[in-house]
């Protein structure tokens, strides 16, 4: 019996040791992952590193030539384990209940929801940024455009890049604000890899490209007019091509006159950057073009004109006509058809517009 008790006692001690080992390992791992709360962190925001996709190659050429202000806002403090966030005073309305810094099961949608809420508070309360830098490339560095912010204490930060235009103002880039934790680790991001805290983080932008548009003014001067022949119509064909020579815009416009004088029509929503040719394809039955029947212009975006971009102005094409002594009238209208959804039987539904472009003088 004594021998049996000793054997059982040995088994109990061995089992206790086995149960204790995982606890020791957890404690050791937690100790290794403790954050040094007074250690300064740095954050580098680069156009070359996509936060989720790995790159922004589609936009990299533009972004590398731009200057993009980016601000960071301290949203929450973090505890030494990196698990618990406590909102700062400026963001005290935030709720991080159930959100753990090293829980890789928290979805990207949830983090984006929190970022959107933080951005809402920032705008409403006029929260002061912890720091603001400008993302830009350094000539000769061989690096993509980036900005580095130093002296940040551990915590959760809202990253807010400002919207900006590419160099020729043909595209506006907007950026999604998002949250990032400092310091971070591979484990906290993916649930795998090293759990060592990295106090110097490199993150990317989340850009969205918004194409820009401009205007075209077509001016027609009718030098003299034969009242006997009645109204006369002049027709223009407008064709826009991109840098590769591919047609991206086509339209036909008309002007109808009942007296001599000058009139201008303005076409809007033309893609910025296109080279547009305006050709007078019908000059009235008894009227002749004085000068060129065709003009070519470049479309600048409304944003470029408003910003005073060097060389930017609303595109304009001017034509002049005079009565040639003929006795035939020439009057008409230009019909416009726009797709307006689908009929119940699946056929396309079109809306008909009939702008005559009349220029009563």
């Amino acid at each position: 019996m004594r021998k049996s008790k000793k054997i059982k006692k040995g088994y109990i001690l061995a089992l206790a040791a086995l149960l204790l080992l995982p606890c020791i390992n957890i404690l050791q791992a937690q100790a290794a992952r403790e954050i040094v709360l007074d250690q300064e962190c740095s954050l580098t925001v680069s156009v070359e590193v996509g936060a989720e996709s790995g790159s922004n190659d589609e936009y990299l050429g533009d972004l590398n030539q731009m200057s993009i202000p980016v601000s960071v806002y301290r949203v929450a403090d973090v505890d030494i384990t990196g698990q618990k966030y406590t909102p700062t005073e400026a963001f005290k309305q935030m709720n991080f209940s159930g959100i753990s810094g090293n829980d890789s099961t928290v979805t990207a949608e949830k983090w984006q929801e929190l970022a959107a809420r933080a951005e809402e508070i920032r705008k409403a309360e006029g929260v002061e940024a912890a720091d603001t830098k400008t993302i830009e490339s350094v000539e000769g560095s061989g690096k993509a455009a980036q900005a580095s912010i130093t002296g940040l204490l551990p915590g959760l930060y809202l990253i807010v890049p400002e919207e900006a235009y590419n160099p020729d103002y043909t595209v506006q880039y907007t950026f999604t604000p998002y949250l990032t934790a400092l310091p971070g680790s591979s484990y906290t991001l993916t649930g795998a890899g090293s759990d060592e805290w990295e106090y110097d983080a490199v993150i990317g932008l989340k850009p969205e490209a918004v194409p820009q548009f401009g205007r075209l003014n077509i001016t027609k001067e009718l030098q003299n007019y034969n009242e006997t022949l009645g109204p006369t119509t002049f027709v223009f064909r407008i064709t826009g091509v991109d840098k590769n020579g591919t047609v991206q815009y086509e339209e036909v416009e008309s002007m109808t006159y009942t007296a001599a004088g000058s009139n201008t029509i303005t076409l809007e929503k033309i893609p910025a950057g296109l080279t547009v040719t305006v050709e007078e394809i019908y000059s009235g039955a008894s009227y002749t073009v004085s000068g060129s029947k065709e003009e070519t212009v470049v479309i600048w975006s409304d944003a470029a004109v408003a910003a005073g971009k060097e060389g930017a102005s609303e595109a304009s094409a001017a034509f002049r006509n005079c009565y040639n002594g003929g006795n035939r009238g020439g009057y008409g209208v230009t019909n416009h058809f726009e797709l307006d959804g689908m009929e119940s039987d699946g056929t396309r539904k079109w809306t008909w517009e009939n702008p005559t472009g009349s220029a009563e003088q």
Side-chain angles (χ1 to χ4, degrees):
M1 291 292 293
R2 289 180 183 175
K3 184 175 181 181
S4 175
K5 287 180 180 179
K6 287 182 180 179
I7 292 174
K8 287 181 179 179
K9 185 176 180 181
Y11 280 134
I12 292 171
L13 290 174
L15 179 61
L18 288 172
L19 291 173
L20 183 60
L21 281 174
C23 296
I24 293 173
N25 288 337
I26 290 173
L27 290 172
Q28 288 176 339
Q30 287 180 337
R33 294 197 301 270
E34 285 186 357
I35 292 174
V36 181
L37 296 179
D38 60 357
Q39 182 169 333
E40 291 188 351
C41 305
S42 72
L43 179 66
T44 298
V45 185
S46 171
V47 304
E48 197 172 34
V49 181
E52 295 179 2
S53 63
S55 70
N56 293 320
D57 292 342
E58 183 180 354
Y59 310 130
L60 192 55
D62 273 350
L63 297 175
N64 263 329
Q65 301 177 64
M66 296 164 57
S67 294
I68 308 167
V70 58
S71 299
V72 297
Y73 300 82
R74 186 178 174 82
V75 173
D77 297 323
V78 64
D79 68 356
I80 60 173
T81 67
Q83 297 185 44
K84 182 179 178 182
Y85 295 121
T86 304
T88 59
E89 180 63 23
F91 292 90
K92 59 185 178 183
Q93 302 172 54
M94 296 288 295
N95 180 10
F96 292 104
S97 177
I99 301 297
S100 174
N102 60 0
D103 184 358
S104 61
T105 64
V106 180
T107 65
E109 288 76 15
K110 180 60 178 179
W111 280 114
Q112 189 55 52
E113 179 185 319
L114 289 169
R117 176 58 178 152
E119 174 66 353
E120 181 182 297
I121 294 171
R122 179 192 76 83
K123 289 181 175 179
E125 303 297 330
V127 180
E128 184 177 350
D131 203 347
T132 299
K133 298 291 184 183
T134 300
I135 300 173
E136 54 190 357
S137 61
V138 178
E139 189 174 352
S141 68
K143 296 181 179 179
Q146 60 183 34
S148 294
I149 301 172
T150 60
L152 301 172
L153 290 176
L156 192 65
Y157 289 86
L158 177 68
I159 314 302
V160 184
E162 292 184 18
E163 61 186 31
Y165 294 92
N166 65 343
D168 61 6
Y169 281 75
T170 58
V171 179
Q172 181 192 52
Y173 286 91
T174 61
F175 305 93
T176 304
Y178 57 100
L179 293 168
T180 191
L182 294 177
S185 73
S186 298
Y187 180 80
T188 59
L189 290 174
T190 66
S194 173
D195 60 2
E196 291 299 318
W197 293 112
E198 298 175 5
Y199 292 82
D200 300 307
V202 180
I203 61 175
L205 299 174
K206 298 179 181 180
E208 179 180 350
V210 183
Q212 298 298 292
F213 299 89
R215 305 180 184 189
L216 169 64
N217 301 303
I218 303 175
T219 299
K220 161 68 69 181
E221 180 188 353
L222 185 58
Q223 294 178 301
N224 45 35
Y225 176 78
N226 187 326
E227 294 184 4
T228 304
L229 299 178
T232 185
T233 299
F234 303 90
V235 181
F236 303 90
R237 179 167 55 214
I238 303 97
T239 307
V241 300
D242 59 21
K243 294 178 181 178
N244 298 317
T246 304
V247 175
Q248 299 290 353
Y249 181 89
E250 290 184 289
E251 187 60 271
V252 174
E253 291 290 340
S254 65
M255 292 183 183
T256 298
Y257 283 76
T258 59
S262 180
N263 190 44
T264 299
I265 57 173
T266 299
L267 282 65
E268 302 190 30
K269 299 295 289 184
I270 301 177
L274 293 187
T275 298
V276 170
T277 298
V278 184
E279 180 185 4
E280 186 169 321
I281 58 176
Y282 180 72
S283 303
S286 297
Y287 294 85
T288 301
V289 176
S290 301
S292 175
K293 295 179 62 175
E294 180 178 298
E295 286 201 24
T296 299
V297 295
V298 174
I299 303 299
W300 285 95
S301 67
D302 295 337
V305 175
K309 167 74 174 175
E310 184 178 356
S313 62
E314 285 191 7
S316 297
F319 300 86
R320 180 179 298 172
N321 293 70
C322 62
Y323 174 59
N324 64 12
N327 59 5
R328 292 184 300 120
Y331 170 70
V333 296
T334 303
N335 294 317
H336 291 261
F337 294 89
E338 293 189 4
L339 185 62
D340 188 25
M342 306 292 287
E343 299 284 6
S344 58
D345 61 359
T347 60
R348 294 183 178 183
K349 180 181 178 182
W350 296 91
T351 298
W352 174 59
E353 296 182 0
N354 179 22
T356 63
S358 297
E360 299 291 336
Q361 299 293 337

